[in-house]
Amino acid sequence: MKLTMQLKKNSYDIILKRGCLKNLYQFANLVNRKVFILTDDGVPAAYAQTIAGQCSDPKIYTIPQGEGSKCLKVYGSVLEEMLAFGMSRSDVVVAVGGGVVGDLGGFCAASYMRGIDFINCPTSTLAQIDSSIGGKTAIDLGETKNIVGAFWQPQVVLIDPDVLATLPRRHFVNGLAEALKAGIIADPELFALFEKNTPEEDIEQIIYRSLRVKEHIVEQDEREQGPRAALNFGHTIGHGIEAVKGIRGRRKNGLYHGECVALGMLPMIEDNSLVKRTRAVMRALGLPTRAAYDKQKVLEQMRHDKKGRGNSITVIRVPGLGCWRADKIPMSELPTLLGLGEEE
């Protein structure tokens, strides 16, 4: 299956095909140029080596697994390695990994020599369903997520569902929260797939339909000036929870990104029957529907959200399945949102 992100001069193909990592050379120029392959130590080394085997001048650079690598220190070390490798404006960065590798690799490509080519080969459910397309690249500053970054579209995205077989169950399910998000805001048939079958049975359709939702929204609004805000559904509260309870840096116990987004979605659904259906899907998947956290700390993180403007912030609410609404609310109302986040 193939989708094409139509962004005029920044357009690119998204290839969804089992085994496609072995055929990257068919979709991108990997010869007569330096290819910097960024991966992390949680990704099977064979994936990066599969890419390297198709290149005339490759270098594989491996960073530590986890959100902690999306920091200034690791960002700087990657750029130094790129410089030492002798990369020029005609060379390319290939990210082989999950959302952290894609975000960091994309930002390094965006900022090295003011921008060089970038290819994304996502290997996690979360990255395949959501973060690998759309051009958002970023690193974190302290506890504030994705606050330093750039819009930088890839040249091509290769999505190989076969690589998901190596993921632990919790990592696999973590990414499905973003697919559930896409179904709730824009695709009732995608939501229905979660109610009918186990996700493994429909994983290619789930990935495809999720990407189609995001592709359609990004094509309308590449730089998040309007409709793209819909993709933040669940993220205002979710990012706040992730900053306080997320597995990142030295914090080895806690919640993953998708789990935080799942918690952030429930208070923003206005239809009680849809809330119950969503909870049922989350429970069946193994996503949390409630969690204990310090609400004051989460609230403080929410006030730093990128969607904030002075004393107000835009949040995404869902009045019913397949639709959404952007509400600009005063910062003073944020505590009310958190108060709604508990189980009935």
Side-chain angles (χ1 to χ4, degrees), residues 51-222:
I51 302 297
Q54 302 168 60
C55 306
S56 59
D57 191 5
K59 177 180 178 62
I60 297 173
Y61 186 66
T62 306
I63 61 172
Q65 182 181 25
E67 184 76 17
S69 283
K70 277 175 57 173
C71 65
L72 284 170
K73 182 179 178 181
V74 176
Y75 167 67
S77 71
V78 174
L79 292 176
E80 286 171 358
E81 287 291 328
M82 290 168 64
L83 184 61
F85 186 36
M87 294 185 75
S88 70
R89 283 195 174 127
S90 61
D91 297 325
V92 60
V93 174
V94 181
V96 183
V100 168
V101 172
D103 281 1
L104 177 63
F107 187 39
C108 289
S111 49
Y112 185 82
M113 292 190 170
R114 299 187 178 93
I116 65 172
D117 284 353
F118 173 56
I119 294 169
N120 210 340
C121 299
T123 62
S124 70
T125 322
L126 183 63
Q128 291 195 353
I129 279 169
D130 181 68
S131 66
S132 62
I133 72 167
K136 280 188 175 181
T137 71
I139 57 173
D140 306 334
L141 270 187
E143 296 297 316
T144 305
K145 190 173 170 69
N146 297 336
I147 199 68
V148 179
F151 286 96
W152 194 249
Q153 301 296 344
Q155 299 296 299
V156 66
V157 178
L158 254 65
I159 295 173
D160 182 352
D162 281 348
V163 304
L164 301 180
T166 62
L167 291 178
R169 174 72 184 175
R170 188 179 171 197
H171 281 276
F172 175 73
V173 169
N174 171 53
L176 295 175
E178 294 283 2
L180 191 58
K181 174 198 79 176
I184 291 171
I185 62 173
D187 188 349
E189 289 184 39
L190 172 56
F191 186 85
L193 287 176
F194 285 106
E195 293 187 305
K196 289 175 187 173
N197 303 314
T198 61
E200 289 86 350
E201 294 177 76
D202 297 309
I203 191 59
E204 285 176 80
Q205 273 300 308
I206 288 171
I207 295 171
Y208 177 77
R209 297 191 78 99
S210 300
L211 291 173
R212 198 172 65 173
V213 167
K214 185 166 184 178
E215 175 214 355
H216 179 66
I217 290 173
V218 172
E219 285 174 346
Q220 296 176 67
D221 181 18
E222 182 181 357

Side-chain angles (χ1 to χ4, degrees), residues 275-306:
V275 171
K276 290 176 182 176
R277 290 171 67 189
T278 303
R279 277 206 183 106
V281 168
M282 288 179 178
R283 289 190 180 112
L285 290 173
L287 288 168
T289 59
R290 66 181 304 169
Y293 52 82
D294 186 324
K295 291 185 178 181
Q296 283 303 123
K297 287 184 179 178
V298 171
L299 181 61
E300 190 58 34
Q301 291 298 325
M302 289 167 65
R303 289 186 174 125
H304 292 303
D305 193 284
K306 297 187 299 299

